[in-house]
Amino acid sequence: MRKFRSLFISHGAPSTVIDDIPARHFLEQLGQTMPRPRAIVLISAHNIARKTVVGTAVQWQEWHDFGGFAPELYQMQYRPSGAPELALQIAQALVADGQDVAISDDTALDHGAWVPLKLIYPQADVPLVTISLSHTMDNAAHWALGERLGQILPDDVLLMTSGSITHNLRDAFSRMQNAVGEYTVEQYASEFIADSYLALNTQGKAFWLDWQNRLRHAHRAHPTPEHFLPLLIARAAAGMEGEAPSVTPLHQSIELGVLGMDVIGLNWGPH
């Protein structure tokens, strides 16, 4: 069985693209150090639909789906080409597998997509296909989506999933308003991240389908699941037929003491 390469990125705030933080500097050099894929299939925590939607746009355009940030963010552009033929092939394969799938030529890229991509591939020169999360799909259905993508995506296509290894915005905003000086790391965040890595290396499907009850502090680290589901999908895609994938922590940092900015490669070694 071939190894399948997938990449999970904690995308952070829209301002990650301009902030002087470790995660930004790491992403800026990542595209120079990893092999260039023929295309990217990207799943963002901010792209959620009623069913699985595969993006067939010929040309993508950044969507400034946020408010209250620096004016320069709203002037930024990121406009890679699409890969509509690949998108249709993916959609057809998912439909053949019995999944409820739609296609869309909407050109909007949410910040969970274009912000990390702009840092990794600033020339916007890698074609892109998007796949949405679904409001109506549970952990098992999103896991099944990841497994199927692991089977059908060509070797030279990178699966990139974008979310956050921890995502409690209430805790983050509270710290922004009240903290003085450096932010101390909350124990719940560090323990949840540590447990997530341990599970990535040792646990299979049954554990991940029940991650909210199996991982310590899961409900505080993720009051809602959409920012963790991209990691679930990447893990499912990388561990074929029960195999345990190799897990590479490519980057680890934490902002505001609670928002993990981890970037994780799954089966990230040479093919």
Side-chain angles (χ1 to χ4, degrees):
M1 177 68 67
R2 70 173 174 87
K3 288 186 175 181
F4 181 82
R5 173 173 292 172
S6 55
L7 178 68
F8 169 76
I9 296 176
S10 299
H11 59 252
S15 58
T16 297
V17 74
I18 58 173
D19 288 342
D20 183 15
I21 58 174
R24 171 198 163 190
H25 301 308
F26 169 77
L27 292 173
E28 284 179 326
Q29 58 82 35
L30 179 59
Q32 304 170 33
T33 58
M34 69 179 184
R36 179 175 293 268
R38 171 170 64 92
I40 292 171
V41 172
L42 191 143
I43 297 175
S44 167
H46 294 277
N47 181 10
I48 310 175
R50 186 179 62 83
K51 62 175 70 176
T52 300
V53 177
V54 179
T56 62
V58 174
Q59 187 80 40
W60 295 97
Q61 180 171 322
E62 73 293 332
W63 175 27
H64 300 102
D65 56 333
F66 48 81
F69 288 90
E72 64 184 290
L73 280 180
Y74 302 93
Q75 305 305 314
M76 286 188 172
Q77 296 184 354
Y78 194 78
R79 301 182 178 182
S81 62
E85 183 176 340
L86 174 63
L88 289 173
Q89 291 171 355
I90 293 169
Q92 290 165 358
L94 294 175
V95 168
D97 196 46
Q99 299 200 31
D100 190 11
V101 175
I103 60 173
S104 171
D105 60 2
D106 186 349
T107 62
L109 280 182
D110 66 82
H111 76 270
W114 73 262
V115 165
L117 284 173
K118 188 172 180 66
L119 291 169
I120 299 170
Y121 297 114
Q123 301 305 313
D125 52 0
V126 179
L128 182 66
V129 172
T130 65
I131 300 178
S132 74
L133 302 177
S134 171
H135 287 297
T136 62
M137 289 166 54
D138 58 9
N139 289 334
H142 283 102
W143 179 277
L145 173 63
E147 280 190 324
R148 191 67 179 117
L149 291 174
Q151 295 164 355
I152 66 178
L153 291 187
D155 289 347
D156 56 356
V157 173
L158 171 65
L159 175 64
M160 182 183 297
T161 68
S162 175
S164 186
I165 199 164
T166 59
H167 194 255
N168 188 319
L169 294 185
R170 177 176 292 181
D171 282 355
F173 293 152
S174 175
R175 285 175 155 243
M176 289 174 65
Q177 294 169 358
N178 300 321
V180 177
E182 294 186 2
Y183 299 99
T184 58
V185 176
E186 282 279 359
Q187 184 175 350
Y188 86 83
S190 62
E191 290 182 349
F192 178 84
I193 292 170
D195 286 3
S196 295
Y197 277 104
L198 179 61
L200 285 170
N201 281 292
T202 61
Q203 298 294 334
K205 178 178 178 179
F207 180 97
W208 288 101
L209 297 192
D210 192 35
W211 66 270
Q212 288 107 323
N213 296 315
R214 301 286 191 94
L215 293 171
R216 286 183 296 171
H217 317 296
H219 292 282
R220 186 170 181 189
H222 288 277
T224 57
E226 76 287 339
H227 275 74
F228 197 74
L229 288 174
L231 179 56
L232 191 81
I233 293 169
R235 168 62 183 83
M240 304 301 294
E241 296 182 356
E243 297 174 358
S246 64
V247 179
T248 305
L250 298 171
H251 174 78
Q252 293 179 289
S253 62
I254 194 160
E255 296 299 318
L256 302 173
V258 294
L259 296 180
M261 297 297 294
D262 296 57
V263 179
I264 303 171
L266 294 111
N267 291 340
W268 204 243
H271 283 64

